[in-house]
Amino acid sequence: MTIDMIPGSSGRIDAGDDKKITYFSNKYVLGLTVVAGIGGLLFGYDTGVISGALLYIRDDFDAVDQSSFLQETIVSMALLGAMIGAAGGGWLNDVQGRKSATLIADVIFALGSFVMAAAPDPYVLIFGRLLVGLGVGIASVTAPMYIAEAAPSEIRGGLVSTNVLMITGGQFLSYLVNLGFTQVRGTWRWMLGIAAVPAILQFALMLFLPESPRWLYKNKSSSEAIATLSKIYDPDRLNDELQHLSAALEEERRGRNSVRYRDVFRIKEIRLAFMAGAGLQSVHLGHVLHVVAAAFQQFTGINTVMYYSPTIVQMAGFGSNELALQLSLIVALMNAAGTVVGIYLIDHVGRRKLALSSLTGVILSLVLLSVAFFLESSGHTNIGWVAVLGLVLYISSFAPGMGPVPWTVNSEIYSELYRGTCGGMAATVNWVSNLIVAQSFLSVADAVGTGLTFAILAVIAVAAVVFVLMFVPETKGLTFEEVEKLWRERARGRSNGAEKSLLEDDET
């Protein structure tokens, strides 16, 4: 049975077709994904490396060792930069294209790495962290968008999740690098400076790759877009894809001439999509709905674990820097392995079910961490291993679901006209909440205790389950246009029937 193609979509083919596209069937698309995903590697490496480097920065600078606030600032200044980079990243992607945005991000990131490695004091180090964050923020918008726009819809979830695998792989790599340089003079300088290598590598490889075909077709050269699409689709499907792109472009030209940020909140279907996307990423203050949609990739504690896992391990009673890094390496390995599982599940189980099952495990692990630290503070001994078990359970639950799902959903739920704008805004929300978590964790733990801090995160995770059930639709296998139709139906109050109908069509 033939599945009709819909204008503006990234087309699908019949499930029974011998030519059905699978994750590994097109090496060209996979190659684009891996190179673009180096932006995720930068993101992950920066997230992980600072957790180990901070132990040695404290040894070199007494002011840092004596101030939790200064430690938090060193960690979170990259997040402030990422917030700024993500805020401008949507505009940069729409105006300059996905490829140019990636190249700019690489240059900024490499420069920041060199500044950090040469920093003579904590304040120059903080400036270097700001530069690195700018690069990461731009990349966090660009990489998922570039991958999604080149990906056939039936494998889009898995390909976008590959960017998340690069993030978790970067975190694992950072722990290996941290361990490798523990006995080297200038330990933390090597840890931070070597981050320039993947940025330089991506810059070089990206010079040989095309711009996003959808951006090219819309903004620059249809012939270049066709050349790229011909490497992704067979001739019959290529013709369909070109028809849809042409129809989508014509529809857009008849519509608005420019995108305004206030339209994201004024137009109901765009507002609902943004609330779901930004909510999954972090926290969205929806003034129109008068709710705080707490959400949740950040406020359920993921970067508390990744930024501070060695510190948390030491809090649990393992005093050695090297032992703390070795135990944290287990956490990072579980994160990468869980993401591999998520790449498979996201296009088979679906985004919504995966997020809910992931959050269930997150809640249980946060309760376990909370209990472990409450017992430790009460004088119980040999509790440290319970905390490590809690960290491993947390990561193994988070990584397959709440790791890839928010990034995938945000790459596919916005209409063509608003994809760059909303993607940038949602990523900014992600980094704002990331900043709040990183800047406050140690201070909150000092003020109320580590056990209560993890208990608070568990309560937020429960709220996240409620949020997903109420606001996040299933988008597995849907084309971009079908997702846009889903939001229009939700805005008119017919969401349940519309969503069910679309999913039934997809299964057919």
Side-chain angles (χ1 to χ4, degrees):
M1 181 176 182
T2 301
I3 296 177
D4 293 333
M5 307 299 292
I6 300 176
S9 70
S10 179
R12 294 177 296 167
I13 53 181
D14 183 39
D17 198 317
D18 291 338
K19 296 182 179 180
K20 181 178 180 181
I21 296 177
T22 63
Y23 185 87
F24 292 105
S25 65
N26 190 307
K27 301 300 187 293
Y28 182 74
V29 175
L30 193 57
L32 294 180
T33 299
V34 171
V35 173
I38 296 177
L41 185 73
L42 300 178
F43 178 175
Y45 186 89
D46 181 69
T47 300
V49 75
I50 194 61
S51 65
L54 188 61
L55 302 179
Y56 296 93
I57 293 169
R58 283 159 45 188
D59 291 341
D60 275 7
F61 300 123
D62 289 338
V64 176
D65 188 49
Q66 296 168 11
S67 171
S68 292
F69 176 79
L70 200 51
Q71 292 175 44
E72 291 169 336
T73 301
I74 290 171
V75 171
S76 61
M77 190 53 62
L79 306 180
L80 177 62
M83 182 180 68
I84 298 169
W91 172 84
L92 186 64
N93 271 273
D94 283 343
V95 174
Q96 297 296 326
R98 293 30 166 164
K99 178 176 178 177
S100 296
T102 300
L103 295 173
I104 292 169
D106 288 332
V107 171
I108 296 173
F109 189 95
L111 179 61
S113 299
F114 294 138
V115 170
M116 290 190 300
D121 58 57
Y123 306 102
V124 175
L125 174 60
I126 288 170
F127 175 68
R129 293 282 295 161
L130 178 67
L131 290 177
V132 163
L134 285 170
V136 168
I138 297 171
S140 71
V141 179
T142 307
M145 196 180 302
Y146 182 90
I147 295 168
E149 291 185 344
S153 61
E154 62 266 37
I155 57 171
R156 187 174 60 231
L159 289 174
V160 174
S161 296
T162 301
N163 182 61
V164 183
L165 176 61
M166 298 291 275
I167 294 174
T168 58
Q171 291 168 338
F172 180 70
L173 177 64
S174 71
Y175 284 117
L176 288 178
V177 170
N178 284 348
L179 280 171
F181 284 105
T182 53
Q183 302 299 325
V184 177
R185 185 177 179 182
T187 304
W188 62 268
R189 297 183 187 277
W190 285 101
M191 293 175 177
L192 300 178
I194 205 171
V197 173
I200 295 170
L201 176 63
Q202 185 183 43
F203 184 94
L205 292 174
M206 205 72 195
L207 291 174
F208 298 98
L209 293 185
E211 180 54 80
S212 157
R214 296 181 71 88
W215 188 90
L216 278 174
Y217 199 91
K218 174 185 173 184
N219 295 281
K220 191 177 180 182
S221 169
S222 60
S223 61
E224 290 182 46
I226 292 170
T228 301
L229 289 170
S230 66
K231 298 177 182 179
I232 300 173
Y233 303 108
D234 62 43
D236 290 338
R237 190 168 176 185
L238 173 62
N239 290 332
D240 285 339
E241 185 72 12
L242 293 174
Q243 290 176 17
H244 308 326
L245 283 173
S246 178
L249 182 60
E250 182 61 31
E251 183 178 344
E252 185 175 315
R253 285 172 177 166
R254 290 197 301 266
R256 296 174 178 78
N257 293 322
S258 62
V259 176
R260 296 168 295 184
Y261 282 98
R262 66 175 179 268
D263 288 341
V264 175
F265 302 99
R266 187 177 62 83
I267 302 172
K268 189 172 182 180
E269 56 262 36
I270 302 298
R271 183 172 72 240
L272 290 173
F274 176 68
M275 192 185 77
L280 276 173
Q281 290 277 19
S282 167
V283 60
H284 167 54
L285 304 181
H287 66 284
V288 178
L289 297 179
H290 304 290
V291 295
V292 177
F296 289 119
Q297 194 186 54
Q298 300 305 322
F299 285 143
T300 50
I302 179 57
N303 281 317
T304 293
V305 171
M306 297 315 300
Y307 292 135
Y308 294 114
S309 58
T311 303
I312 293 169
V313 169
Q314 289 188 333
M315 287 177 175
F318 300 95
S320 165
N321 284 357
E322 289 188 40
L323 180 58
L325 288 174
Q326 289 167 357
L327 292 173
S328 297
L329 186 63
I330 298 173
V331 174
L333 180 61
M334 293 296 298
N335 198 16
T339 305
V340 174
V341 176
I343 288 175
Y344 172 79
L345 292 177
I346 197 165
D347 283 321
H348 290 78
V349 174
R351 285 67 158 143
R352 194 174 142 96
K353 289 181 181 177
L354 195 55
L356 290 171
S357 60
S358 174
L359 284 167
T360 301
V362 164
I363 293 167
L364 293 175
S365 61
L366 288 171
V367 170
L368 181 60
L369 280 164
S370 178
V371 170
F373 280 101
F374 274 125
L375 291 175
E376 191 271 339
S377 64
S378 301
H380 290 76
T381 58
N382 299 322
I383 297 298
W385 289 107
V386 179
V388 172
L389 178 62
L391 288 175
V392 171
L393 176 60
Y394 176 93
I395 287 297
S396 62
S397 300
F398 186 96
M402 284 301 288
V405 168
W407 294 107
T408 301
V409 169
N410 270 280
S411 74
E412 63 189 7
I413 61 173
Y414 307 121
S415 66
E416 183 81 20
L417 188 62
Y418 288 89
R419 192 167 299 133
T421 299
C422 288
M425 291 172 67
T428 302
V429 168
N430 176 285
W431 289 112
V432 168
S433 53
N434 196 334
L435 174 64
I436 293 170
V437 170
Q439 185 66 43
S440 62
F441 173 71
L442 293 180
S443 296
V444 172
D446 287 343
V448 303
T450 309
L452 183 56
T453 302
F454 281 114
I456 293 170
L457 293 176
V459 171
I460 294 173
V462 172
V465 171
V466 176
F467 176 84
V468 172
L469 288 171
M470 292 181 63
F471 296 109
V472 179
E474 181 55 70
T475 55
K476 176 176 74 77
L478 301 184
T479 63
F480 287 129
E481 179 62 20
E482 286 173 328
V483 175
E484 189 174 350
K485 179 182 176 182
L486 187 154
W487 289 119
R488 286 198 299 268
E489 296 292 347
R490 281 197 165 207
R492 296 168 188 160
R494 299 197 297 272
S495 60
N496 292 336
E499 187 173 343
K500 181 179 179 182
S501 175
L502 286 172
L503 290 174
E504 286 175 348
D505 289 344
D506 182 52
E507 290 172 359
T508 304

